[in-house]
Amino acid sequence: MAAADIPSAALRHHDLCSRGIRLARKMRSDVTDLLDIYVERQGLDASISVAAVDGVPAAAAERWAEQSGTQRLLDNLAAYRAFRTLLAQMLEEQREQLGDADAELGPALAAVLLQVSAFAYHLEELLELESRGAPAEEGSEPPAPPRLSLFEQKLRGLGVLRELAQWAVRSVRDLRQLAKHGPGTTLEGSGTALGLPESQ
Amino acid sequence: MWTNPNLRCLLALAILCLTSLVHSREIGSQGDPQNLKCVTHNLRKMVCTWDISSKRRHGQTEFCYTIDDVIPKCFKTKEKKVEIPVPGSSTTVKITTYSISGTAFATRHFEIHKKDISFVPLAPRILSLTPDFSTSTLTLKWSDNGSAFPYGLDASWEIEILRKETMEDVTRESYNSKLTHEDIIHSWNWKSDMPLECTSHYARIRHYINITQFDGHKDWSDWSPVEVVPGKDTEPSGSGLFPQDTVVAVGSNVTFCCVHEEGRQVQRMSYGAKDYPLIRLSSRSSAIRVLNASASDASGTNIVCRMSENGMDGTVLFVGYGPDTPEDLSCETSNFVIIKCTWKPGRASGLYGVRGTKYSLIESISGKNVSCEVNEMKKERVCGFPVLADQKTYSFVLGVSNPIGQTEASLLVDLNQRVNPETPEKLTVSENSSTSVRLRWFINGSFAEIRLLCQIEISSAHSEQKLHNVSMPGGKFSTYTAQLNALHPYTKYRFRVRCSAADHFWRWSDWSGTEEHTTLEAPPARGPDIWRERSPSGKSLRIFWKPLSLSEANGKIVSHEVSCYLLEESLEHKEVTEPSNSTEIKLGRNDCVISVVAKNHAGSSPPSRITSVELPSDNVKTDRAVAMGNGIYISWNSYPNMTCGYIVKWCHSSGSEPCSVDWQKFPSNTTDAVIKSALFRPGVRYNFSLYGCKSSGYQLLKNITGYTKELPPKRAPNFTVEETSSDSILVKWEDMPIEDCQGFLEGYRLSFAKGEKDSLKPRLLESGNPELKVKNITDLTKKSLKILDLQGKTSYQLDLQAYTAGGLSPPNSLYVVTKEDSVGLIIAILIPVAVVVLLGVVASIFCYRKREWIKETFYPEIPNPENSKALQFQKNICEGNKSLKTLEMNPCTPNSVEVVETQSAAPKIEDTEMMSATTDTIVPEDGSDSETENHVVVSYCPPIIEEEISNPPMDEPVGLSQVVYIDIQSMYQPQIKPEEESEIDIVTTAGYKPQMQLPVSALKIESRSPAEEESDKTAGYRPQANTNAWNMDTPDSPGSVESNNENASFGSPCSINSRQFLLPPKDDEDSPKPSNTGWSFTHFFQNKPND
């Protein structure tokens, strides 16, 4: 029975990775479009450089290649949970500032938020398959962010979307790595092995 | 220099001193105490100061003053200033100066009048200077120190605002107040055009008290000490772009400043996409000024400050309009629960979200107000206000505000006059009878205090739409009912309802949903319209009835009851079910009264009666009717004895079905009618019968035929040719059936012209044939026509057409050939025969008379070739050939004529035949053949030396022992290219043919030598035959190898005299044989064909 479970788990793992890659690609495409809309609607200069925004996880990792599959999934999950909060906040601010005036930016933002939520759920599923289980979200409400000026809100939104676009790319790569090596295998150069599903 | 307030103060003090000096009367000797001047700050005490002119050191000064002649008061002081009470009118002052040792060395007396005293209030003290950074407003507070002054004094205040570290003047503004003998704290606001964060702002104040009862000089107080509001640039860590997230009106001027940390530099500042020039405020603050700001986007305009070391700061400015005054504010209720107010917002503010325009509805009578949630993207705004109990009049104020401004609109309404009821719903229809129904509907609202007016729309397929108004008392969320009468039975109606207030109409509600209902059936309203016709045999009677209209049937007719009565006795009774509209009753020869009753589910109609009696009629005429519009106009004379009117009956026939009878009844005073029927078709003849109605029966008065529209006949009549002669044709045609006529036939048109059946000429009637003749036959009884004056043995085309008022039918055509004229034929034969005979006789006589000349000319006894031009040889050809002469009568030995040809020595050809025998030469195209090869041996042998010919010289090839014929034609053959030569079969011509025109193309002629051209001109006869027909495909045949040019022989040997082809030798079977013996004029005179 355990022997039968392993191919089934591998198959499901592969399927989840494939679907995740598709989701991430679609998300990347939509975030790119959203960035264009955002920059235009907010009157920002597309070349404006935005310093790292507090609370926005960075996609770049120093030793990305050395990360284990589980670590990758955990990093991704943490990032997308953060993005989910940030995007929801952006959406709220958008509604507050623009009301019914903008019929394009709000829906586009909501659509990306939905994709981010779906992707986070997808990552949780993958982690479940790794027999790790997704770490619980922090129960208490995150501390209220300092009240930002409108300009700072605009910049932060830009930073969030840019970083989300980066993360979408990274997620595709991470999931490819996961798909290539399958569940329960040690990634190349990794110091940590993905936990094999134990036979019972 | 004068801008420095300190300097100004000093100057003012100096002027004041001078003035005091002028006005104080110095009593003592000149010198020591002098320049006494007194200033009061509060009108109770005054401060007097003086100068001592001596430079010597002095000790104390004794100051004595007397007010109002009271005992003088003296006191000693080391200063040169004393404070004494302000005198009522004047005071006398004595000032004595003492030396240090205590001896007096100078005394001066002064008299101070009240007018010499100056009034200068004390400098005010600023209580607070408070900034409001969000609005860039400074609030200044100070006390007026009014308790020190009498009540009611006017005080003027001057407030000065300074900015930047250098304390540059920004503004100086005035403020007036009245002193109330109390210390009042005043407050003054000033809105800065620059954010207060940008740099430090300062304020100071002074005042002037206008004491009218004070005679002395009055002056402004000193400036108060400055109060400062420090800018962000003074804070050690202060930075930012100011103002932050503000909203201004379109057209405003706005200053933005960028405060940064020490050591950084502002590189540029942009407003939107545009950089603005920097205004330096301090070492840590720079600003830009945007003038006449235009409306921003929904997300505002970004202002970005870029600093050194990649520093950046930004802010957002929203530029929009203040709220527009709402237009068309209107309030109404649809249910007495909520008052719905609507308005048009006017110009858009351009501000959205939290900055968008806010509306609030305030009812001023009750004092209640509601905040209105509106959709900014909709043009019309709606806000609801609850209906208040026991309040009918409402005074609404619609307050409108946004960050730029606010406005309002107001409306006073009596709610009972602003009722627009909710849409009626749940409409149901219940029936009472066949002509009435009851409608019920529900309105969601409380209308207990008003009456409602409801409008019911009634529509049916067969009648116009009707509106029925019902007024009823309103209820609280009630169901309303209405009864509708006078409806038509068995009719499908559609109902819908809307309501309004009955007493004060304001607006109709929307229509309710439509409800359909069909009323009940009722008995038919009348009996059917009937007619009867007796069968041709007279033994039966067919009764017809027309279906009742829907409005008369009152339901679905299921059957007709037909009865036949004779003196109240029922002879026959029949029930005919739908859809039949006739029935037959066998009466024999009897008559009866027929009764027909229509029946539906609700009952029977009143009976319709008609008698079967048909009165005899004489001389019934048949008239033609006139078409009129879509109908047929019929008229008749008035028949006075027709007491019960007239009936026009006709019959519709459609195809093979028996015609259906139709009729129309007219009152007795009618004499004409237009009969119309949807079944009438153009081009169809209708026969109408006019019956008169008498009490005793019906009488046929006349028959009428007519068309609603006449059409051209469908076809032409069939016609035949009965008889033809050399100059006439008799044609005969048949009658046309009435169905084909499609109108009243008016005549025939016979057209004829010469023409053959299969000729390609266009049809007779289609072209303007000049020979076309037309005969119009208007006598319809005529069925034949003889066409006269025709030509014999000529084909004619005949077209026959019939025509009506509608036009001509298509033609029927016939082709007829007239007979030959025999006399003419005989003449035509005889005359040429006679002419020929006559010519023959004349020719015979002529020949007979000139027979000698003819003989000499054409047929001499001994033909002399030399006398014949046609048979002459060229002398130069024969020269060098052993004086060979043609047709020399001497016995001849076989001769060989070798012709050696050189092009240069080409003989002048005079006779082509000679050329064929002697000078025929084939010149190779390239002319490369040697002369030795280029020769021809011509052998000639008359028949009489045939034996010798059969023994040729041994040194010659067998093939060359024969006469080698050279066709003169070969000279003119196109020269063949060498490579083609071997492939081409040599074909030679045979015989002679007269060819004055050589079959040589001009191009070939051009390639020939002039000698050859000359020979063309002189050419007489030439051997002629189709060279192709001579298939000389044997290698040994003469001339078969043209390339060798030896033994090339073309054509046939011929007799010069006879110019007949000579047969080739018998052993040369492969040689070409003449296929064309031809015919020459010489034959005519040849007596011996074998020669």
Side-chain angles (χ1 to χ4, degrees):
Chain A
M1 183 179 172
D5 281 350
I6 292 172
S8 158
L11 205 62
R12 178 157 169 70
H13 179 269
H14 186 265
D15 179 51
L16 279 173
C17 287
S18 302
R19 281 198 290 134
I21 288 168
R22 282 200 299 276
L23 269 175
R25 280 186 178 147
K26 172 77 169 71
M27 189 162 56
R28 158 80 180 174
S29 165
D30 288 359
V31 172
T32 307
D33 294 344
L34 176 59
L35 261 171
D36 292 342
I37 298 170
Y38 187 84
V39 164
E40 191 226 322
R41 290 287 192 278
Q42 301 289 12
L44 294 170
D45 182 355
S47 64
I48 202 165
S49 62
V50 182
V53 183
D54 284 345
V56 179
E62 280 191 8
R63 292 184 172 181
W64 175 79
E66 296 174 10
Q67 282 185 330
S68 69
T70 308
Q71 188 57 47
R72 287 169 198 276
L73 287 176
L74 288 171
D75 285 358
N76 272 269
L77 183 59
Y80 284 101
R81 280 177 174 172
F83 280 125
R84 191 168 57 195
T85 307
L86 290 166
L87 286 171
Q89 192 181 339
M90 279 174 68
L91 193 61
E92 183 57 35
E93 287 169 356
Q94 201 65 30
R95 284 176 183 152
E96 183 185 321
Q97 296 300 326
L98 296 181
D100 308 316
D102 196 303
E104 195 175 8
L105 184 55
L109 208 52
V112 168
L113 172 60
L114 198 64
Q115 290 181 56
V116 166
S117 301
F119 193 71
Y121 178 75
H122 199 80
L123 292 169
E124 286 170 7
E125 271 194 297
L126 265 169
L127 276 166
E128 289 287 339
L129 197 67
E130 299 291 344
S131 303
R132 279 293 304 261
E137 284 190 76
E138 290 175 15
S140 60
E141 284 286 312
R147 183 71 187 170
L148 298 175
S149 71
L150 283 178
F151 189 73
E152 286 166 335
Q153 284 178 17
K154 287 182 177 185
L155 289 187
R156 189 193 56 183
L158 184 63
V160 168
L161 294 180
R162 280 182 179 170
E163 203 58 44
L164 179 57
Q166 294 291 326
W167 262 105
V169 175
R170 176 177 162 177
S171 299
V172 171
R173 290 181 181 167
D174 283 337
L175 291 174
R176 271 203 200 131
Q177 287 282 333
L178 277 170
K180 191 159 51 174
H181 295 282
T185 55
T186 304
L187 295 180
E188 189 181 345
S190 169
T192 313
L194 282 169
L196 270 169
E198 289 181 11
S199 303
Q200 295 185 5
Chain B
M1 174 181 152
W2 297 108
T3 54
N4 191 329
N6 295 333
L7 287 174
R8 283 205 300 251
C9 285
L10 285 172
L11 182 66
L13 200 61
I15 292 167
L16 191 66
C17 291
L18 284 172
T19 313
S20 294
L21 282 175
V22 168
H23 290 287
S24 62
R25 286 173 53 193
E26 292 182 2
I27 299 171
S29 61
Q30 198 168 13
D32 293 328
Q34 55 185 352
N35 296 340
L36 177 68
K37 50 187 178 182
C38 296
V39 175
T40 180
H41 296 305
N42 51 18
L43 301 175
R44 292 193 306 274
K45 300 269 183 174
M46 63 181 182
V47 176
C48 296
T49 58
W50 63 91
D51 293 334
I52 296 173
S53 61
S54 169
K55 299 293 181 190
R56 289 183 300 175
R57 291 185 64 189
H58 59 89
Q60 284 190 324
T61 301
E62 186 186 45
F63 187 91
C64 297
Y65 67 94
T66 306
I67 297 173
D68 300 334
D69 296 332
V70 184
I71 301 168
K73 285 185 178 175
C74 294
F75 48 85
K76 288 186 177 176
T77 178
K78 286 187 177 177
E79 295 179 353
K80 289 179 279 188
K81 180 173 84 172
V82 294
E83 187 180 68
I84 59 173
V86 174
S89 56
S90 66
T91 182
T92 304
V93 172
K94 183 184 82 173
I95 301 173
T96 306
T97 56
Y98 294 89
S99 65
I100 296 172
S101 60
T103 57
F105 60 78
T107 298
R108 291 283 298 271
H109 292 266
F110 298 92
E111 189 173 356
I112 302 170
H113 297 278
K114 199 169 184 179
K115 63 180 174 58
D116 298 329
I117 302 166
S118 295
F119 174 66
V120 179
L122 285 173
R125 192 169 58 87
I126 294 172
L127 295 178
S128 67
L129 179 66
T130 313
D132 182 354
F133 291 103
S134 63
T135 58
S136 300
T137 304
L138 287 173
T139 303
L140 182 73
K141 287 185 178 174
W142 72 95
S143 170
D144 64 358
N145 201 23
S147 58
F149 298 99
Y151 179 87
L153 293 182
D154 290 327
S156 297
W157 306 85
E158 220 171 49
I159 304 157
E160 196 171 52
I161 303 292
L162 306 111
R163 183 184 281 162
K164 294 163 68 173
E165 293 164 345
T166 52
M167 297 184 71
E168 293 172 8
D169 247 352
V170 179
T171 185
R172 180 181 288 186
E173 302 210 8
S174 298
Y175 179 90
N176 295 314
S177 68
K178 199 173 272 288
L179 301 181
T180 57
H181 199 56
E182 285 179 8
D183 291 342
I184 302 294
I185 294 172
H186 294 272
S187 178
W188 175 81
N189 294 326
W190 174 73
K191 186 171 173 57
S192 172
D193 63 343
M194 179 184 286
L196 300 176
E197 297 94 334
C198 293
T199 188
S200 298
H201 285 76
Y202 307 90
R204 62 179 184 176
I205 187 170
R206 66 175 184 175
H207 67 150
Y208 173 90
I209 298 172
N210 186 18
I211 306 175
T212 49
Q213 63 271 36
F214 183 76
D215 297 332
H217 175 72
K218 298 180 283 281
D219 206 348
W220 284 91
S221 73
D222 287 339
W223 287 106
S224 69
V226 292
E227 282 290 322
V228 62
V229 173
K232 289 278 180 189
D233 56 342
T234 61
E235 295 176 12
S237 60
S239 65
L241 187 54
F242 304 99
Q244 280 288 318
D245 308 336
T246 47
V247 183
V248 297
V250 171
S252 301
N253 301 328
V254 193
T255 302
F256 300 93
C257 68
C258 182
V259 181
H260 51 87
E261 294 163 5
E262 197 72 56
R264 278 188 164 176
Q265 294 295 322
V266 174
Q267 290 174 332
R268 60 191 176 95
M269 287 178 73
S270 58
Y271 174 81
K274 187 183 172 189
D275 285 353
Y276 276 71
L278 293 172
I279 304 163
R280 183 183 160 81
L281 298 177
S282 71
S283 61
R284 288 180 53 203
S285 178
S286 296
I288 58 169
R289 186 151 179 80
V290 175
L291 303 175
N292 194 17
S294 53
S296 59
D297 294 334
S299 65
T301 305
N302 299 331
I303 300 95
V304 182
C305 171
R306 286 183 172 80
M307 292 166 281
S308 56
E309 301 169 15
N310 287 330
M312 187 182 70
D313 233 323
T315 186
V316 181
L317 179 73
F318 295 89
V319 187
Y321 295 94
D324 206 355
T325 306
E327 296 169 359
D328 303 338
L329 176 62
S330 169
C331 296
E332 64 183 27
T333 184
S334 60
N335 50 15
F336 280 93
V337 176
I338 288 285
I339 300 169
K340 193 173 74 175
C341 293
T342 57
W343 65 92
K344 289 179 183 169
R347 181 188 59 195
S349 68
L351 302 171
Y352 305 95
V354 291
R355 288 165 293 279
T357 306
K358 308 286 185 297
Y359 296 91
S360 62
L361 201 57
I362 304 153
E363 204 287 299
S364 51
I365 296 172
S366 63
K368 285 192 173 181
N369 64 349
V370 291
S371 172
C372 305
E373 293 295 325
V374 295
N375 186 340
E376 291 177 9
M377 305 315 286
K378 286 188 178 172
K379 283 199 168 178
E380 192 171 78
R381 311 290 163 89
V382 182
C383 193
F385 189 89
V387 172
L388 303 173
D390 303 327
Q391 185 173 341
K392 293 296 160 214
T393 305
Y394 292 80
S395 175
F396 288 112
V397 175
L398 179 68
V400 193
S401 66
N402 72 6
I404 295 172
Q406 57 187 27
T407 184
E408 62 181 35
S410 57
L411 180 72
L412 183 69
V413 291
D414 179 350
L415 203 57
N416 286 347
Q417 297 179 15
R418 291 288 183 276
V419 181
N420 178 15
E422 290 277 353
T423 307
E425 50 190 305
K426 301 173 186 171
L427 177 66
T428 56
V429 186
S430 56
E431 58 196 1
N432 290 344
S433 68
S434 61
T435 56
S436 67
V437 292
R438 181 177 290 275
L439 266 62
R440 287 172 186 272
W441 63 92
F442 172 79
I443 303 178
N444 185 16
S446 175
F447 304 99
E449 295 179 22
I450 62 165
R451 282 187 69 79
L452 288 175
L453 174 69
C454 292
Q455 196 170 54
I456 302 166
E457 186 189 83
I458 307 159
S459 51
S460 69
H462 311 294
S463 63
E464 287 184 357
Q465 200 174 70
K466 287 178 188 169
L467 292 172
H468 182 75
N469 289 341
V470 189
S471 176
M472 57 190 75
K476 280 190 174 180
F477 304 96
S478 309
T479 298
Y480 302 87
T481 59
Q483 174 95 14
L484 292 177
N485 299 317
L487 299 178
H488 199 274
Y490 197 62
T491 304
K492 189 176 187 179
Y493 286 101
R494 282 179 289 121
F495 304 100
R496 57 177 187 166
V497 185
R498 63 179 180 178
C499 294
S500 72
D503 298 328
H504 301 283
F505 177 81
W506 169 240
R507 276 172 191 161
W508 286 111
S509 70
D510 288 337
W511 285 106
S512 70
T514 303
E515 193 66 21
E516 285 187 349
H517 181 78
T518 304
T519 49
L520 295 170
E521 287 189 48
R526 69 170 181 88
D529 190 4
I530 55 176
W531 182 246
R532 86 287 175 274
E533 264 194 354
R534 201 172 269 279
S535 64
S537 64
K539 291 182 179 175
S540 65
L541 191 70
R542 179 158 281 277
I543 298 118
F544 304 93
W545 56 90
K546 288 183 181 175
L548 291 170
S549 67
L550 285 171
S551 59
E552 293 163 341
N554 286 346
K556 189 180 178 186
I557 300 294
V558 290
S559 64
H560 287 85
E561 205 175 76
V562 182
S563 309
C564 186
Y565 295 94
L566 183 61
L567 299 173
E568 305 299 325
E569 183 191 347
S570 173
L571 295 181
E572 187 157 351
H573 179 84
K574 262 187 173 180
E575 182 143 352
V576 183
T577 55
E578 281 288 277
S580 182
N581 65 345
S582 68
T583 189
E584 197 173 61
I585 295 175
K586 297 197 183 305
L587 280 179
R589 296 290 176 186
N590 299 326
D591 280 314
C592 68
V593 173
I594 297 131
S595 162
V596 179
V597 170
K599 292 169 82 175
N600 64 13
H601 293 295
S604 301
S605 71
S608 297
R609 291 192 177 89
I610 191 169
T611 178
S612 67
V613 177
E614 186 138 3
L615 301 172
S617 48
D618 300 326
N619 295 328
V620 175
K621 290 182 183 174
T622 299
D623 288 346
R624 278 189 186 181
V626 180
M628 184 177 282
N630 295 327
I632 298 169
Y633 176 75
I634 292 171
S635 63
W636 60 88
N637 297 326
S638 178
Y639 298 89
N641 50 352
M642 299 303 160
T643 53
C644 51
Y646 300 94
I647 289 97
V648 176
K649 183 221 86 177
W650 67 94
C651 195
H652 290 292
S653 175
S654 58
S656 57
E657 294 176 13
C659 74
S660 61
V661 172
D662 201 352
W663 67 95
Q664 202 167 334
K665 290 180 177 172
F666 300 96
S668 52
N669 59 353
T670 311
T671 55
D672 62 349
V674 177
I675 310 293
K676 289 187 176 180
S677 168
L679 300 173
F680 284 158
R681 297 279 177 269
V684 177
R685 179 177 290 191
Y686 295 99
N687 297 313
F688 301 90
S689 301
L690 176 69
Y691 290 90
C693 174
K694 290 182 184 174
S695 57
S696 53
Y698 292 91
Q699 185 178 23
L700 178 63
L701 301 176
K702 70 173 183 174
N703 291 318
I704 303 145
T705 71
Y707 293 85
T708 55
K709 186 183 178 186
E710 288 189 65
L711 298 178
K714 279 184 189 170
R715 62 175 185 84
N718 293 326
F719 75 115
T720 53
V721 176
E722 288 292 304
E723 186 183 313
T724 55
S725 68
S726 60
D727 64 346
S728 68
I729 300 170
L730 176 64
V731 293
K732 202 169 183 179
W733 58 88
E734 301 169 354
D735 277 333
M736 285 174 65
I738 285 170
E739 306 85 62
D740 289 346
C741 290
Q742 302 194 118
F744 294 113
L745 203 60
E746 292 188 352
Y748 302 99
R749 189 173 182 269
L750 181 68
S751 316
F752 61 96
K754 286 180 186 173
E756 292 183 5
K757 191 170 186 179
D758 297 325
S759 68
L760 295 175
K761 284 183 181 176
R763 289 179 64 93
L764 195 62
L765 299 172
E766 289 174 359
S767 65
N769 191 342
E771 295 181 2
L772 178 70
K773 290 178 183 170
V774 176
K775 288 194 180 294
N776 189 15
I777 303 111
T778 53
D779 182 1
L780 296 175
T781 57
K782 206 171 169 182
K783 297 294 173 204
S784 65
L785 179 75
K786 191 165 193 175
I787 308 167
L788 300 173
D789 301 330
L790 302 177
Q791 291 180 10
K793 206 178 181 184
T794 305
S795 174
Y796 283 92
Q797 182 186 348
L798 311 178
D799 277 2
L800 183 63
Q801 292 169 286
Y803 61 90
T804 65
L808 281 163
S809 72
N812 241 350
S813 292
L814 274 183
Y815 292 88
V816 186
V817 180
T818 49
K819 286 184 178 171
E820 203 170 357
D821 188 356
S822 55
V823 177
L825 184 66
I826 292 167
I827 290 169
I829 294 169
L830 283 181
I831 288 172
V833 169
V835 169
V836 168
V837 169
L838 188 64
L839 284 174
V841 171
V842 170
S844 302
I845 295 168
F846 177 78
C847 290
Y848 179 74
R849 290 199 174 171
K850 297 290 180 181
R851 63 185 179 279
E852 290 301 322
W853 175 78
I854 290 169
K855 189 177 179 183
E856 280 298 316
T857 305
F858 297 105
Y859 195 65
E861 296 247 341
I862 301 169
N864 185 357
E866 300 213 355
N867 291 341
S868 171
K869 287 180 182 177
L871 301 176
Q872 273 181 348
F873 285 94
Q874 278 188 316
K875 287 177 182 177
N876 53 358
I877 294 173
C878 297
E879 282 173 5
N881 284 325
K882 298 177 183 178
S883 303
L884 179 66
K885 293 199 177 176
T886 310
L887 299 182
E888 196 171 355
M889 295 306 291
N890 296 330
C892 182
T893 57
N895 295 322
S896 292
V897 179
E898 185 173 354
V899 179
V900 178
E901 183 188 347
T902 57
Q903 205 160 3
S904 60
K908 189 174 182 179
I909 300 167
E910 290 182 352
D911 193 327
T912 55
E913 291 180 70
M914 286 304 297
M915 285 185 66
S916 68
T918 60
T919 64
D920 225 356
T921 307
I922 297 171
V923 180
E925 187 179 315
D926 55 3
S928 60
D929 288 345
S930 62
E931 289 183 3
T932 54
E933 291 172 342
N934 192 14
H935 67 275
V936 177
V937 177
V938 178
S939 297
Y940 173 75
C941 184
I944 56 173
I945 54 171
E946 200 169 9
E947 282 183 326
E948 289 179 27
I949 294 169
S950 63
N951 295 311
M954 292 302 290
D955 57 344
E956 288 184 0
V958 176
L960 294 176
S961 63
Q962 304 302 319
V963 175
V964 178
Y965 302 95
I966 299 173
D967 186 358
I968 193 166
Q969 292 291 333
S970 63
M971 289 179 67
Y972 304 97
Q973 290 295 331
Q975 292 183 358
I976 302 164
K977 291 179 180 177
E979 61 266 25
E980 293 173 351
E981 285 168 359
S982 60
E983 296 172 11
I984 297 172
D985 292 335
I986 304 303
V987 180
T988 56
T989 58
Y992 293 92
K993 51 188 174 185
Q995 46 186 4
M996 295 305 290
Q997 292 180 334
L998 299 174
V1000 181
S1001 69
L1003 184 65
K1004 293 164 189 168
I1005 291 168
E1006 283 174 8
S1007 64
R1008 286 177 292 162
S1009 64
E1012 288 168 334
E1013 289 178 8
E1014 186 63 27
S1015 70
D1016 288 346
K1017 293 174 188 170
T1018 58
Y1021 291 95
R1022 295 176 183 278
Q1024 54 178 349
N1026 184 2
T1027 55
N1028 293 327
W1030 289 23
N1031 189 8
M1032 299 174 68
D1033 52 357
T1034 52
D1036 54 347
S1037 61
S1040 63
V1041 184
E1042 193 186 33
S1043 59
N1044 294 332
N1045 271 338
E1046 56 185 357
N1047 304 327
S1049 173
F1050 298 93
S1052 168
C1054 63
S1055 162
I1056 296 171
N1057 291 338
S1058 67
R1059 302 187 184 174
Q1060 291 275 19
F1061 289 118
L1062 300 176
L1063 289 173
K1066 200 174 180 179
D1067 55 348
D1068 190 7
E1069 289 179 359
D1070 292 328
S1071 64
K1073 294 175 181 174
S1075 61
N1076 182 10
T1077 52
W1079 185 88
S1080 68
F1081 189 66
T1082 52
H1083 276 101
F1084 194 75
F1085 300 100
Q1086 183 112 15
N1087 295 331
K1088 299 175 181 175
N1090 293 332
D1091 286 347

